[in-house]
């Protein structure tokens, strides 16, 4: 019987690391086809196509230099060709691009395919709301969508340093298959059924990482940064409790929750660029271009998406950190005002604190 086929939709920093892990597993697992396709958004590097470089050197020299991909990972510049036969579609692109990619794939994938989203962010929904990225994929492609999120800075996973991740999947049988596809001895997978909380944690922690970066830029020290991270965590919890009533708070203790919040607030790109935003006075867009070599920030856009929804519901005062990050990124307020806005945070009022617990 032919093996199940896997397509990685994305080839950025994290996409390339995941292609490495999945490629090794596809080669090892008998029921998975050895050939893993990786959709690459084509670009020229020193006069040569990135796909050609990847397929000859087995290295994504732009987004993951210094690490080899297994030779069974094949870079494909045509999305439909890469995804057409896939039984498993792994979505791992910056979240602002997913809607277009899904539109391209409508009617072009196997109806029995299973998707998994590694994408951290939201989409804006018409009429003042947000939509989960897993929902965007499910709505356009009509296939079930699991999620994988965790404390997984790509550069460290590429070096095979031990870490954990969380798969959120409602179907236990599918969970087991996904665990086999993604797990490595240095990359331990825990599966939970609470898909929404896993995904929401992954998106919201990027906003908190921007706040942590502003603190670093302002040189406010470790106590202030810890307070900011804690208040950000409380807003993440409050957000889930307010808008996704069936979510479980226990999921925050998985890798996708507190652990990802910590790693991103200390070692992530959102933190780094936010610090530079304060110290250089340059715009987020300029810093993204200057410092990330084509990689994309998710935090400032996610802050915009969340505040679009909070503003429509007149709930910005209940989420002062999320709101301040959006306003700072848009230069409506100064970074140093973040702390003033947090001094009367709702969780500092006892009655509200109880409601958070
Ligand atoms: N890098 C990391 O450490 C981690 C990232 N993630 C998440 O994974 C997702 C993907 O992140 P990365 O792989 O790091 O991407 P990245 O930040 O390296 O983004 C660059 C990728 O975007 C592609 N791209 C640029 N313009 C495009 C367009 N118009 N259409 C389609 N693709 C385009 C580039 O070709 C490149 O593959 C994000 O949601 C991120 O939050 C999750 C865990 C760790
Ligand atoms: O999601 C991440 C780590 O788990 C990466 O965060 P950054 O996008 O801030 O680098």
């Amino acid at each position: 019987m032919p093996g199940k086929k896997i397509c990685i939709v994305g080839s950025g920093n994290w996409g390339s690391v995941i292609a490495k892990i999945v490629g090794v597993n596809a080669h090892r697992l008998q029921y998975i086809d050895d050939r893993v396709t990786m959709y690459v958004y084509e670009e020229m590097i020193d006069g040569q196509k990135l796909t050609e470089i990847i397929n000859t050197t087995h290295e994504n020299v732009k987004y993951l230099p210094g690490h080899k991909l297994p030779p069974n990972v094949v870079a494909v510049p045509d999305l439909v060709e890469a995804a057409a036969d896939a039984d498993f579609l792994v979505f791992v692109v910056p979240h602002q691009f997913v809607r277009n990619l899904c539109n391209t794939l409508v009617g072009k994938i196997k109806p029995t395919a299973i998707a998994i989203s590694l994408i951290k962010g939201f989409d804006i929904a018409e009429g003042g709301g947000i939509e989960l990225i897993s929902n965007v994929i499910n709505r356009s492609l009509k296939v079930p969508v699991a999620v994988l999120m965790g404390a997984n800075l790509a550069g460290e996973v590429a070096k095979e340093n031990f870490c954990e991740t969380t798969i959120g999947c409602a179907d236990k049988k599918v969970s087991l298959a996904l665990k086999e596809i993604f797990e490595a001895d240095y990359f331990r997978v825990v599966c939970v059924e609470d898909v929404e909380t896993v995904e929401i944690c992954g998106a919201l922690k990027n906003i908190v990482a921007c706040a942590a970066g502003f603190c670093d830029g302002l040189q406010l020290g470790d106590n202030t940064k810890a307070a900011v991270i804690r208040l950000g965590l409380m807003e993440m919890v409050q957000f889930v409790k307010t808008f996704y009533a069936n979510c479980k708070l226990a999921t925050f203790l998985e890798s996708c929750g507190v652990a990802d919040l910590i790693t991103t607030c200390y070692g992530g790109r959102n933190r780094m660029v936010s610090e530079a935003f304060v110290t250089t006075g340059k715009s987020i867009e300029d810093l993204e271009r200057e410092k990330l070599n084509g990689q994309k920030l998710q935090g400032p856009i996610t802050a915009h998406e969340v505040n679009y929804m909070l503003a429509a519901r007149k709930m910005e005062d209940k989420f002062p950190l999320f709101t301040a990050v959006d306003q700072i990124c848009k230069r409506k307020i100064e970074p140093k005002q973040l702390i003033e806005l947090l001094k009367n945070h709702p969780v500092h009022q006892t009655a509200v604190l109880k409601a958070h617990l």
Side-chain angles (χ1 to χ4, degrees):
M1 218 171 71
K4 300 272 187 201
K5 291 187 183 351
I6 303 177
C7 169
I8 315 277
V9 179
S11 56
N13 191 226
W14 185 222
S16 301
V17 176
I18 277 299
K20 176 186 161 196
I21 294 175
V22 170
V24 169
N25 286 340
H27 187 61
R28 183 177 57 82
L29 294 166
Q30 293 211 323
Y31 62 92
I32 303 284
D33 195 288
D34 193 49
R35 185 176 188 268
V36 172
T37 55
M38 177 170 74
Y39 162 65
V40 175
Y41 182 76
E42 190 69 282
E43 58 190 289
M44 300 301 284
I45 313 280
D46 296 332
Q48 209 186 342
K49 288 180 175 165
L50 181 56
T51 46
E52 283 172 10
I53 299 175
I54 294 173
N55 288 336
T56 48
T57 67
H58 306 295
E59 185 176 333
N60 187 339
V61 291
K62 175 149 183 195
Y63 295 104
L64 192 65
H67 297 276
K68 290 283 177 196
L69 300 175
N72 56 318
V73 171
V74 180
V76 180
D78 184 305
L79 175 61
V80 172
E81 185 192 325
D85 298 331
D87 299 286
F88 293 98
L89 289 161
V90 180
F91 283 88
V92 54
V93 289
H95 76 276
Q96 55 270 42
F97 305 129
V98 71
R99 206 201 288 204
N100 273 347
L101 296 178
C102 283
N103 288 342
T104 308
L105 288 176
V106 171
K108 305 278 172 46
I109 61 162
K110 274 189 170 180
T112 52
I114 289 167
I116 178 162
S117 170
L118 280 57
I119 299 170
K120 295 174 175 172
F122 299 114
D123 198 11
I124 291 273
E126 301 285 308
I130 54 162
E131 190 173 8
L132 302 185
I133 298 296
S134 59
N135 220 55
V136 173
I137 299 169
N138 170 264
R139 189 169 42 74
S140 36
L141 302 182
K142 313 273 184 276
V143 294
V145 187
V147 298
L148 182 152
M149 312 273 152
N152 304 143
L153 294 170
E156 297 181 13
V157 186
K159 286 192 229 160
E160 307 192 356
N161 294 348
F162 167 76
C163 68
E164 302 175 297
T165 202
T166 314
I167 285 182
C169 179
D171 181 324
K172 285 206 171 108
K173 235 171 108 187
V174 174
S175 273
L176 287 177
L178 293 172
K179 185 175 164 76
E180 284 200 318
I181 288 170
F182 286 98
E183 195 155 65
D185 73 321
Y186 58 90
F187 188 65
R188 309 309 295 168
V189 175
V190 174
C191 299
V192 301
E193 289 175 42
D194 183 12
V195 184
E196 287 180 337
T197 309
V198 175
E199 185 168 0
I200 295 164
C201 282
L204 292 179
K205 62 87 192 174
N206 282 334
I207 308 179
V208 186
C210 293
F214 298 144
C215 280
D216 289 343
L218 292 163
Q219 297 189 308
L220 296 173
D222 292 333
N223 293 340
T224 306
K225 185 165 169 180
V228 164
I229 294 171
R230 187 190 87 88
L231 291 170
L233 175 62
M234 294 302 265
E235 291 192 20
M236 289 168 64
V237 170
Q238 186 63 15
F239 188 91
V240 164
K241 284 176 70 171
T242 307
F243 300 114
Y244 297 86
N246 295 326
C247 285
K248 294 187 177 61
L249 289 188
T251 307
F252 280 83
L253 301 181
E254 300 294 341
S255 179
C256 61
V258 177
D260 196 8
L261 180 65
I262 293 170
T263 202
T264 312
C265 288
Y266 283 86
R269 300 167 295 188
N270 286 289
R271 186 221 69 82
M272 187 255 288
V273 168
S274 300
E275 178 183 41
F277 178 81
V278 175
T279 55
T280 66
K282 293 181 181 175
S283 71
I284 295 282
E285 295 74 20
D286 285 348
L287 289 165
E288 183 180 54
R289 257 190 308 276
E290 276 174 30
K291 290 185 168 287
L292 297 185
N293 190 31
Q295 294 181 35
K296 302 288 177 195
L297 284 181
Q298 309 287 270
I301 319 176
T302 308
H304 167 76
E305 290 150 359
V306 165
N307 282 281
Y308 169 75
M309 169 162 154
L310 296 177
R313 287 165 176 70
K314 301 207 179 343
M315 291 179 76
E316 291 138 299
D317 59 330
K318 304 234 174 342
F319 298 88
L321 184 143
F322 291 170
T323 304
V325 168
D326 184 43
Q327 293 186 333
I328 292 168
C329 291
K330 292 174 179 164
R331 291 199 191 282
K332 289 186 182 163
I333 61 171
E334 289 292 318
K336 60 175 187 262
Q337 284 175 263
L338 170 70
I339 303 305
E340 286 312 309
L341 290 165
L342 296 183
K343 284 185 178 167
N344 288 311
H345 196 282
V347 302
H348 296 145
Q349 294 154 32
T350 316
V352 183
L353 175 60
K354 283 194 185 126
H356 270 268
L357 294 172

